[in-house]
Amino acid sequence: MNENLGTAGGATRGHVDWASILAGAAIAVGASVVLTGFTAALGLGSVSAEPGEGLGTFALILVGLFAFVSLVAVYGLGGYVAGRMRARHSTSEDEVEARDGVHGLTVWAIGMILGGILAAGAISGGVRAAGSAATTAVEATGSAVGGALQGTGQLAGGIVGGAGQLAGGAISGVGQLAGGAATGAADAAQGGEGAGGNPLDYLTNRLLRSEATAPDQFSDEAIAGEVTSILGSVLRTGDVPEDDLDYLRDALAARTELTPAQIDARVEETVTQVQTLRTEAEERLAEAQAQAEEALATAEARAEELRAEAEQRLQEAQDAAIEAAESARRGAVWSALFLAVTSLVAGVAAWMGAIRGGHDRDAGRVWSGLTRRRS
C-alpha cells in the first residue's frame, strides 16, 4: 500500500490516532465493567461468613482465573479495536506494527488510569467501611471489657457496701442498745419526756447530786431519772463507781422496805443484768465485724477473678484484631501482586491485539474469519 507518510490533503498528520484509541478504550472499559460484575458475583458467591457455606479455596482459584482471563481478553479486544480503526500512514511493515502496538498500549494505559481512579474510589470506600467495622469492633470490645470491669467494680462495691452496712448496722444496733435502752427507761420513768439517755445527763446528775442521798424531797420521777442515767453509764462503760452503788442502795432504802441484804442483792442483780446486755452487744459487734471482714475478703477475691476474666477477654480481642489485620495484609499483598501481573499480561495482550487488528485492517478482514464485502 502506497500512502503518504506525513501529509494528506495538505495537512500534517499526527502519529497518534486518538479517535481509534478512545474507541478501543471505551470498548475495553465497557466490557471490563460487565465482566467485573460477573467476577464480583462469583467472588461473593464463593465466600461466606457462615462456616461451611462458601464454595471453598478451589472456587476462589477459579474466580481468580476468571478475573485474569477477563482482564487480558478485555484489553486484547480494546487493542484490536484501536489497531483495526487506526489509519495507516506508513509503508514500512515494521513501522506499521510498532505504531499499531503503541496504540494498543495507549488503550491499555488509558484503561489502567480509568481503572485506577475507579479502584481508588472503591478502595477508599472499602477502607472507610473496614475502618468503620474495625472501629465498631474495637468499640464493642471496649464496651464489653469496660462493662465487665464496671460489673467487677459494681459487684465488689456492692459486696463491700453490704459488708459495711452489716457492720454499721450491728454497731448502730449496739449504740442504740447502749444509749437507747437507757433513754427508753428514762422515758418510761419520766412520762415519755426523754430524759436520762444522754451521757451528759449522767454527768449532770452526778454534779448536782445532793449530799443527802435520795432525799425525801426528791420525786420518784427525779430519782428514776438518776437511776436510769447510772444504769446507762454502766451499759456504755461496763463499770459502776462506788458512789453510784451507794446512791442506788440509798434510793431503794428510801423508797422500799427491803432489808440491806435484799437491797444489795437487787442492786447487784440489776448491775449484772446491765453488764450482761453490754457483753451481748459486744459479742454481736464482734460477730458483725467478722462477717464484714469475711464479706470483704469474698468481694476482693471475686473482684480479682472478674478483673482477670476481663483482662483475658481484652487480650483475646487484641489477638483476634491482630490476626484479622495480618490476614488482611497478606490478602492485600497477594491481591496487589496478582493485579500487577495481570495488568502486565493485559498490556501485552493489548499490544498484540492492536497488531492483529492492524493486520486485519490491511487485509480487509475481522478476526481472520469475516471478510469485508466490497461494492
Side-chain angles (χ1 to χ4, degrees), residues 204-229:
T204 301
N205 291 335
R206 284 179 59 87
L207 178 64
L208 300 177
R209 186 176 296 170
S210 173
E211 294 180 0
T213 306
D216 294 339
Q217 65 267 26
F218 279 11
S219 64
D220 291 340
E221 290 78 7
I223 293 177
E226 182 84 21
V227 172
T228 299
S229 65

Side-chain angles (χ1 to χ4, degrees), residues 29-308:
V29 171
S32 176
V33 170
V34 175
L35 294 178
T36 299
F38 283 109
T39 305
L42 293 175
L44 292 175
S46 63
V47 296
S48 176
E50 296 293 334
E53 294 296 329
L55 299 182
T57 304
F58 180 72
L60 290 177
I61 295 175
L62 292 180
V63 171
L65 290 177
F66 182 81
F68 175 83
V69 173
S70 299
L71 189 63
V72 172
V74 160
Y75 283 103
L77 175 61
Y80 178 87
V81 171
R84 185 68 176 78
M85 300 298 293
R86 188 183 77 85
R88 176 171 176 161
H89 302 295
S90 175
T91 58
S92 172
E93 295 298 329
D94 292 337
E95 183 68 16
V96 169
E97 288 188 358
R99 293 189 181 186
D100 289 338
V102 170
H103 278 67
L105 283 181
T106 307
V107 169
W108 171 81
I110 293 176
M112 287 291 104
I113 293 174
L114 294 178
I117 294 174
L118 296 177
I123 291 173
S124 62
V127 170
R128 285 194 297 269
S132 299
T135 302
T136 303
V138 171
E139 288 178 353
T141 303
S143 298
V145 175
L149 293 176
Q150 184 178 4
T152 302
Q154 289 177 350
L155 177 60
I159 297 177
V160 173
Q165 290 177 355
L166 177 63
I171 295 172
S172 176
V174 173
Q176 291 175 356
L177 179 63
T183 302
D187 290 343
Q190 298 294 334
E193 296 178 0
N198 194 322
L200 295 178
D201 294 339
Y202 170 71
L203 299 178
T204 301
N205 291 335
R206 284 179 59 87
L207 178 64
L208 300 177
R209 186 176 296 170
S210 173
E211 294 180 0
T213 306
D216 294 339
Q217 65 267 26
F218 279 11
S219 64
D220 291 340
E221 290 78 7
I223 293 177
E226 182 84 21
V227 172
T228 299
S229 65
I230 292 174
L231 296 180
S233 176
V234 175
L235 185 63
R236 286 189 297 270
T237 63
D239 298 326
V240 54
E242 189 62 33
D243 56 346
D244 288 345
L245 292 175
D246 292 339
Y247 182 85
L248 295 176
R249 296 188 188 99
D250 293 339
L252 285 178
R255 292 298 187 272
T256 65
E257 296 180 355
L258 298 176
T259 63
Q262 292 175 333
I263 291 174
D264 289 341
R266 181 172 292 185
V267 170
E268 182 179 355
E269 180 183 1
T270 301
V271 171
T272 301
Q273 289 176 348
V274 175
Q275 290 175 340
T276 300
L277 289 176
R278 172 180 172 79
T279 301
E280 292 178 354
E282 290 178 343
E283 291 176 354
R284 292 179 184 178
L285 176 60
E287 182 180 355
Q289 289 176 341
Q291 292 177 354
E293 292 176 356
E294 181 180 357
L296 181 61
T298 302
E300 291 177 349
R302 182 56 179 165
E304 185 63 28
E305 179 181 351
L306 292 178
R307 186 179 298 108

Side-chain angles (χ1 to χ4, degrees), residues 84 360 363-366 369-375:
R84 185 68 176 78
D360 289 346
R365 298 177 300 183
V366 179
L370 298 177
T371 59
R372 183 177 58 186
R373 300 178 64 181
R374 301 178 181 274
S375 56

